């Protein structure tokens, strides 16, 4: 079931089934709004902790506005899970997100709490680690960037976000990697 009433965020409710999840992922490839998957195996709780994996890809910074907005509205704590890479791209992305969080907090006069946690794995395995370490972080929402394009392995085995949704114990929010994303309104 898709809830889509001209809202800022699209909510997708489905069974924890590979085909059902992939069907909805394909439908949302061009979506400008963030979209949230809630399956029958997930527990929906009030937002107290947001887990935001940050890899080396530049589109990871698109999640800054969304996680900051959610943290402001709910008082949730943001956990930035930085990929354990050899280069500096993941660290630069974390720095950009932190700069955005601090700027919004200063402008709004609100306290937005966050922490940076170093992942055990690199950018290529970060989504898998985020979905495997759910009990460590005790988060209530996982915020991921969707794949830019599907390669042959994604078509055959499924993209990383599909695997994360299937393993997730809490709702998973996806943000498409595009520059013209829908801005959330206050």
């Amino acid at each position: 079931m898709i809830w889509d009433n001209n809202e800022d965020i699209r909510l997708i409710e489905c069974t924890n089934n590979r085909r059902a999840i992939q069907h909805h992922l394909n439908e949302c490839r061009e979506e400008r709004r963030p979209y949230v998957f809630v399956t029958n195996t997930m527990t929906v709780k009030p937002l107290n902790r947001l887990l935001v994996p940050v890899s080396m890809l530049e589109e990871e910074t698109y999640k800054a506005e969304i996680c900051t907005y959610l943290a402001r509205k709910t008082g949730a704590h943001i956990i930035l899970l930085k990929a354990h890479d050899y280069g500096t791209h993941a660290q630069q992305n974390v720095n950009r997100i932190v700069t955005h969080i601090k700027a919004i907090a200063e402008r709004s006069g609100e306290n937005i709490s966050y922490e940076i946690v170093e992942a055990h794995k690199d950018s290529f395995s970060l989504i898998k680690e985020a979905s495997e370490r759910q009990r460590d972080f005790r988060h209530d929402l996982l915020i991921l960037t969707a794949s830019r394009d599907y390669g042959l392995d994604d078509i055959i085995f499924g993209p990383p976000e599909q695997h994360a949704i299937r393993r997730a114990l809490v709702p998973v929010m996806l943000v498409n990697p595009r520059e013209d994303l829908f801005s959330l309104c206050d």
Side-chain angles (χ1 to χ4, degrees), residues 54-56 81-88 90-91 94 117-126 129 133:
V54 183
S55 74
M56 67 180 176
L81 182 63
K82 184 182 85 63
H84 184 74
D85 291 340
Y86 291 108
T88 60
Q91 183 61 52
V94 166
V117 177
E118 179 86 18
H120 301 300
K121 298 184 179 181
D122 64 8
S123 290
F124 300 106
S125 303
L126 186 64
E129 179 176 343
R133 293 183 63 193

Side-chain angles (χ1 to χ4, degrees), residues 137-182:
F137 296 118
R138 300 181 331 273
H139 57 280
D140 306 306
L141 181 68
L142 176 59
I143 303 175
L144 302 175
T145 303
S147 298
R148 277 186 215 158
D149 296 308
Y150 290 153
L152 183 59
D153 56 337
D154 295 326
I155 294 168
I156 294 171
F157 303 113
E161 56 267 25
Q162 180 202 86
H163 296 284
I165 293 166
R166 295 211 50 221
R167 283 190 211 109
L169 302 173
V170 296
V172 177
M173 176 180 280
L174 291 166
V175 178
N176 280 331
R178 48 187 296 163
E179 292 180 6
D180 63 340
L181 289 173
F182 184 75

